[in-house]
């Protein structure tokens, strides 16, 4: 008992209350909607900035083999959507 209280006291004084790394501001996000791009393990939840996209549009960038689900609308995580946007840049707009 005496040992425990001494240890706590020592730690508090050596860190001055300032040396505790705060990992509370970035909790690991756990979503419901996985990204449908093959090999991508991020979440495509709206909360996480994910998007829905027509399958055909995504095929333009990743090809049919790069998409893990064949559904009319696939889910994209934020980084994958960015990739898509980048690939599409410079092409004439065919849709709005
Ligand atoms: Zn993704």
């Amino acid at each position: 008992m005496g040992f425990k209280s001494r240890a706590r006291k020592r730690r508090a004084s050596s860190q001055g209350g300032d040396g505790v790394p705060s990992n509370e501001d970035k909790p690991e996000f756990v979503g419901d909607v996985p990204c449908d791009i093959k090999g991508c393990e991020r979440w495509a939840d709206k909360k996480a900035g994910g998007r829905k996209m027509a399958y055909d549009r995504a095929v333009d960038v990743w090809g049919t083999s790069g998409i893990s689900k064949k559904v009319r609308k696939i889910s994209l995580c934020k980084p994958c959507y960015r990739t898509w946007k980048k690939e599409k840049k410079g092409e004439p707009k065919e849709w709005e």
Side-chain angles (χ1 to χ4, degrees):
M1 269 187 244
F3 172 76
K4 213 172 192 178
S5 71
R6 213 167 70 201
R8 202 191 299 150
K9 206 188 263 171
R10 199 198 297 146
R11 199 189 299 161
S13 66
S14 70
Q15 294 201 338
D18 211 8
V20 185
S22 67
N23 47 9
E24 277 178 41
D25 56 343
K26 244 198 157 199
E28 203 184 325
F29 179 76
V30 178
D32 302 313
V33 187
C35 179
D36 287 327
I37 299 307
K38 223 174 242 178
C40 180
E41 286 170 358
R42 284 177 290 256
W43 295 107
D45 288 54
K46 248 194 180 151
K47 267 190 287 187
R51 304 258 185 155
K52 294 275 186 197
M53 181 178 287
Y55 181 85
D56 291 345
R57 283 200 203 176
V59 166
D60 283 349
V61 170
W62 287 281
T64 50
S65 58
I67 301 163
S68 53
K69 237 197 278 174
K70 180 134 206 231
V71 287
R72 242 163 56 95
K73 285 213 160 181
I74 64 156
S75 306
L76 285 183
C77 67
K78 201 174 179 183
C80 284
Y81 180 72
R82 279 224 190 102
T83 303
W84 178 84
K85 232 161 117 184
K86 225 191 277 169
E87 289 290 321
K88 281 301 190 180
K89 214 157 72 179
E91 281 190 25
K93 268 190 187 163
E94 311 163 38
W95 53 67
E96 283 297 333

